[in-house]
Amino acid sequence: MSAVRVSMAHVAERAGVSAQTVSRVANGSPRVDPATRARVEKAMADLGYRMHRAARALRTGQTSTIGLVVSTLASVGNSRMLQAISEAAAAREYALAVVTVGERGIRDAFARLRSQGVDGAVVLNEATELARDVDPPADLHVVVVDSPPDDRFSIVQTDHAGGARAATAHLLSLGHGTVHHLAGPPGSFAATERERGWREALADAGITPPDPVRGDWTSASGHLAADALGAATAVFVSNDQMALGALRAFAESGRDVPGDVAVVGFDDIVDAAEYRPPLTTVRQDFDALGRQAVAALVAAIEGAAPVVETVPAALVVRASSARA
């Protein structure tokens, strides 16, 4: 049977479900149990069924397009999230429109997405601070990645504090008397949460936290900030890019890693295992974040109440951390 002539009724008959259930699966609704969804998707594949995007828009008033609002794509974390959200959207047969927050601010970003007819938007990382100060348009469903509680929209976030606690506890378990922190920029939710986890781990050990040193997420800022860490023997760095800069600075000053100073990063970017030495770090599950952000947005488009989803972070031990 050709893909052109296949209808929802054909798929429903093959899968043994109602046409309404087929419609929910085709529209990416989360309100279908996994076994039924798998059966319908197999029937679609067997019959060569494809939902026509324009026909869906005419029938439902939705374009099957979602937006992504981002402050920058220069950071590794943001580019990884773009890839994860793009793949998650494609899996649900949604197109993706990307806008950056420029000089005209997040209101303009929302307006640009509305002009493209998107059904909803994911607001990513640093842009979420801007979103908290602006009410999104009433007809634009919004999910934010990394944000304090907010009843206006769903939130998907990494357990930044939990990951930071694990990193700090790991360094303390290696016999270091304290752990210094190369923190991210002020105003960043992720940086604030990672600093909180670091402070909590030290407090649990009865240690007064030393003053943190700050960077701006770039490896260059990590290189510059490393001098201010003095004779620290253990450093928890708020992301892997700054850790790369710190490793270079320590090498230039003749300090061996991990012999003289142990270093732990955060993110587990693709190249972290190729650093010299390979970097101990906290792994963010960017793929899970992307899937959950898109799932929460599709649910919001279909009328679900806002939710808060937290994705665990896992410590990955490599050669950059060792006993004091």
Side-chain angles (χ1 to χ4, degrees):
M1 189 177 293
S2 71
V4 175
R5 295 193 295 269
V6 173
S7 69
M8 284 191 179
H10 293 127
V11 176
E13 181 179 1
R14 170 67 71 93
V17 298
S18 68
Q20 183 181 34
T21 298
V22 175
S23 176
R24 285 175 177 165
V25 172
N27 284 284
S29 171
R31 300 176 185 178
V32 181
D33 71 79
T36 301
R37 181 183 300 280
R39 195 163 70 250
V40 172
E41 289 175 344
K42 183 177 186 303
M44 288 176 170
D46 291 345
L47 297 174
Y49 175 82
R50 298 285 295 178
M51 170 63 80
H52 193 278
R53 195 178 303 278
R56 181 192 292 179
L58 287 172
R59 192 182 77 255
T60 66
Q62 298 175 354
T63 63
S64 297
T65 302
I66 60 175
L68 178 66
V69 181
V70 62
S71 58
T72 177
L73 290 172
S75 70
V76 174
N78 282 5
S79 62
R80 288 281 304 277
M81 281 300 299
L82 168 61
Q83 179 179 351
I85 289 172
S86 176
E87 291 174 353
R92 292 175 176 266
E93 296 194 351
Y94 274 77
L96 183 67
V98 181
V99 297
T100 55
V101 179
E103 294 180 356
R104 299 178 65 179
I106 199 164
R107 289 184 191 274
D108 178 67
F110 283 146
R112 279 182 282 152
L113 286 177
R114 290 181 70 196
S115 72
Q116 297 180 57
V118 303
D119 300 326
V122 177
V123 182
L124 193 58
N125 297 348
E126 283 76 15
T128 62
E129 182 183 11
L130 304 175
R132 292 195 294 270
D133 298 330
V134 173
D135 285 326
D139 58 348
L140 184 69
H141 302 282
V142 172
V143 171
V144 299
V145 177
D146 286 345
S147 173
D150 194 315
D151 294 336
R152 294 174 298 166
F153 33 66
S154 291
I155 296 168
V156 176
Q157 60 194 10
T158 292
D159 184 7
H160 299 284
R165 282 194 298 271
T168 307
H170 166 67
L171 289 168
L172 292 175
S173 73
L174 296 174
H176 296 279
T178 190
V179 176
H180 290 252
H181 185 37
L182 204 170
S188 164
F189 173 80
T192 300
E193 285 295 284
R194 292 171 195 179
E195 183 176 334
R196 178 171 69 86
W198 164 72
R199 291 183 180 277
E200 289 176 352
L202 291 180
D204 289 345
I207 300 169
T208 300
D211 291 335
V213 177
R214 295 198 179 278
D216 63 7
W217 296 132
T218 65
S219 56
S221 72
H223 180 262
L224 289 172
D227 285 344
L229 293 168
T233 67
V235 182
F236 165 53
V237 187
S238 199
N239 79 332
D240 290 350
Q241 285 177 281
M242 291 195 298
L244 174 60
L247 290 178
R248 176 189 163 204
F250 292 140
E252 290 173 345
S253 65
R255 302 195 72 198
D256 177 69
V257 177
D260 298 318
V261 54
V263 177
V264 176
F266 201 111
D267 283 339
D268 195 26
I269 64 174
V270 173
D271 294 329
E274 306 304 322
Y275 285 8
R276 184 175 181 183
L279 184 66
T280 296
T281 186
V282 178
R283 177 175 294 159
Q284 280 204 83
D285 191 339
F286 292 106
D287 292 337
L289 285 169
R291 287 193 301 270
Q292 293 200 21
V294 172
L297 184 55
V298 171
I301 291 168
E302 297 191 345
V307 297
V308 177
E309 302 281 356
T310 301
V311 178
L315 180 69
V316 180
V317 179
R318 298 192 180 102
S320 69
S321 57
R323 291 198 168 274

